[in-house]
């Protein structure tokens, strides 16, 4: 059921308001491509809503958005407050602009989540540190710095230990053990080219440290999403969403970026920080477009059966191509 975040499992807040979804307080919509998302209150990820009557829902949201108050906007994206709802209207934005909205907030949220753990623990530890400091006669500043670093390290450790959720755990071809993957193990994985799949990842076994399994398709995407989240938190710094978006644009789009990284067969770990973030964005983008395509195909089939007439293959092909292009391989003016 569409009740909780597909990325972090947090329950959605709000009641969906005008969307009629029954959940969501922050809702993003894109009339142009017919996309509707509920934004997770915890991790700020955009969750694509199920396909059923999405167009009517988008229409309803767009209607109230036109009566709402614009809190902030860029050329193509606007944040609109209507009653207690935050509505994000997406026009036909350049990737850079959209990235600032989608990923900028996610990065800020990560920093907030990190601080929620790090600050109180540091404060508590400093209390102990002062006592120790008085006893040892050491420098106060040094102790505070070290404690902060230690606590920050602990936070990373917690995130890195998060289990990677897969339908079936892969078995290592090398040592035969069941690979129980945690987010931190994925940094040794490599995106590789595969003739039969859009996305393929070679995993390093946490047990024998040898490359022991290959995942493709949605399983590869799932692993990448969780692994890259950890990696990009670990690398922290002042990387901005715009830089990563520019990185995607420079190579010519999300598909091209994934192909480019796969061709080099580098471990995720050895990607430049901007590239790491760019790959996370590209994987998200592709997963979303693929999901749209899949839903579209399903809807077409159902419609054909209902009509008793088979839609022409070219029509479906054209529509798929339109959706794929709309996925944003090339930013359009
Ligand atoms: Zn979430
Ligand atoms: Zn192994």
């Amino acid at each position: 059921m569409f009740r909780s975040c597909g990325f972090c499992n947090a329950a959605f807040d709000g009641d969906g308001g005008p969307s009629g979804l029954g959940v969501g307080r922050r809702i993003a919509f894109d009339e142009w491509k017919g996309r509707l998302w509920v934004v997770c209150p915890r991790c700020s990820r955009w969750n694509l809503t199920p396909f059923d009557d999405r167009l009517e829902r988008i229409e309803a949201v767009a209607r109230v958005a036109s009566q709402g108050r614009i809190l902030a906007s860029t050329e193509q994206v606007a944040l609109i407050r209507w009653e207690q709802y935050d509505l994000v209207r997406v026009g036909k934005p350049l990737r850079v602009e959209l990235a600032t909205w989608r990923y900028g907030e996610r990065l800020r949220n990560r920093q907030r989540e990190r601080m929620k753990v790090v600050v109180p623990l540091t404060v508590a530890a400093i209390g102990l540190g002062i006592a120790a400091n008085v006893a040892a006669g050491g420098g106060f500043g040094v102790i505070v710095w070290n404690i902060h670093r230690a606590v920050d390290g602990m936070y990373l450790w917690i995130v890195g230990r998060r289990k990677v959720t897969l339908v079936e755990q892969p078995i290592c071809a090398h040592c035969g053990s069941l690979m129980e993957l945690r987010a931190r193990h994925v940094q040794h994985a490599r995106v590789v080219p595969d003739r039969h799949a859009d996305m393929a990842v070679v995993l390093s076994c946490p047990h024998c440290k040898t490359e022991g399994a290959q995942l493709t398709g949605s399983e590869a995407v799932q692993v990448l999403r969780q692994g890259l989240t950890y990696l990009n938190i670990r690398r922290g710094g002042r990387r901005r969403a715009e830089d990563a978006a520019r990185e995607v644009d420079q190579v010519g789009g999300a598909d091209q970026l994934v192909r480019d990284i796969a061709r080099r067969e580098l471990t995720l770990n050895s990607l430049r920080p901007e590239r790491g973030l760019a790959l996370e964005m590209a994987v998200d983008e592709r997963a979303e477009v693929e999901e749209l395509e899949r839903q579209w195909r399903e809807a077409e089939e159902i419609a054909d059966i209902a009509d008793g007439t088979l839609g022409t293959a070219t029509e479906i092909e054209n529509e798929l191509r339109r959706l794929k292009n709309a996925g944003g391989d090339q930013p359009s003016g």
Side-chain angles (χ1 to χ4, degrees):
M1 267 328 304
F2 196 67
R3 297 258 151 238
S4 56
C5 175
F7 301 96
C8 76
N9 274 329
F12 290 138
D13 58 347
D15 59 6
S19 72
L21 286 168
V23 284
R25 198 194 62 76
R26 177 170 276 202
I27 294 159
F29 66 102
D30 175 352
E31 288 179 280
W32 181 57
K33 281 186 237 161
R35 300 203 268 186
L36 183 66
W37 301 267
V38 171
V39 181
C40 173
R42 186 157 91 192
C43 71
S44 293
R45 294 244 202 173
W46 292 25
N47 287 263
L48 198 64
T49 64
F51 192 76
D52 298 343
D53 51 27
R54 185 153 63 193
L55 294 181
E56 290 93 89
R57 294 183 195 283
I58 294 169
E59 215 170 275
V61 174
R63 208 161 33 237
V64 303
S66 66
Q67 299 153 21
R69 188 158 51 92
I70 297 183
L71 296 182
S73 73
T74 56
E75 206 177 318
Q76 296 289 350
V77 182
L79 178 60
I80 297 157
R81 174 72 45 85
W82 181 78
E83 293 185 354
Q84 70 269 39
Y85 306 99
D86 281 343
L87 309 171
V88 182
R89 187 179 62 209
V90 180
K92 193 178 175 181
L94 293 172
R95 178 177 289 105
V96 170
E97 199 181 343
L98 186 60
T100 318
W101 283 87
R102 286 183 63 166
Y103 298 93
E105 176 150 5
R106 201 202 294 180
L107 293 180
R108 274 194 296 282
N109 231 8
R110 273 183 194 169
Q111 194 55 22
R112 272 199 295 273
E113 196 190 321
R114 186 176 192 152
M115 285 306 136
K116 261 190 251 162
V117 178
V118 171
V119 171
L121 279 177
T122 306
V123 169
I126 285 171
L128 295 171
I130 291 171
N133 184 44
V134 170
F140 179 66
V142 174
I143 287 193
V144 172
W145 171 244
N146 284 335
I147 289 172
H148 181 79
R149 277 175 45 132
V151 171
D152 209 39
M154 204 161 93
Y155 172 74
L156 264 182
W157 183 78
I158 294 170
V159 176
R161 269 183 56 80
R162 283 183 189 154
K163 269 205 188 107
V164 174
T165 42
L166 290 171
V167 183
E168 212 175 315
Q169 303 283 28
I171 289 167
C172 175
H174 196 254
C175 71
S177 66
L178 200 65
M179 286 191 185
E180 289 191 9
L181 290 171
R182 309 272 179 168
R184 72 190 146 87
H185 295 137
V186 182
Q187 58 182 314
H188 307 295
R190 292 184 299 133
V191 180
V192 294
D194 187 301
R195 226 171 306 151
H196 308 290
D198 279 349
M199 188 78 78
V201 177
V202 171
L203 295 169
S204 166
C205 169
H207 196 69
C208 69
K209 316 279 182 226
T210 314
E211 293 189 336
Q214 177 162 339
L215 296 180
T216 54
S218 58
E219 298 243 284
V221 167
Q222 181 63 24
V223 164
L224 277 178
R225 280 178 153 178
Q226 283 190 255
L228 287 167
T229 301
Y230 164 73
L231 196 67
N232 289 326
I233 289 178
R234 203 195 68 197
R235 285 155 151 199
R238 284 180 36 78
R239 256 171 309 106
R240 294 178 312 157
E242 299 100 279
D243 295 336
R246 248 173 233 119
E247 189 88 17
V248 180
D249 279 344
Q250 263 164 22
V251 293
D255 279 338
Q256 197 52 45
L257 182 88
V258 173
R259 265 199 297 276
D260 202 48
I261 289 174
R263 194 169 47 79
R264 288 162 203 250
E265 304 206 5
L266 298 168
T267 60
L268 298 183
N269 211 352
S270 53
L271 296 174
R272 276 181 291 116
E274 304 78 36
R275 280 227 134 184
L277 191 59
L279 181 61
E280 188 184 341
M281 285 170 42
V283 168
D284 269 5
E285 240 176 63
R286 281 177 49 135
E288 218 169 81
V289 178
E290 269 158 32
E291 178 61 14
L292 272 175
E293 279 189 19
R294 194 191 61 74
Q295 291 169 347
W296 179 261
R297 239 174 260 135
E298 223 172 72
E300 279 288 335
E301 276 165 24
I302 293 167
D304 286 345
I305 293 164
D307 291 354
T309 58
L310 212 63
T312 72
T314 15
E315 268 169 29
I316 299 171
E317 280 293 316
N318 285 340
E319 196 51 42
L320 280 173
R321 202 166 302 125
R322 190 187 65 79
L323 275 172
K324 190 147 196 162
N325 290 336
D329 268 5
Q330 289 298 326
S332 33

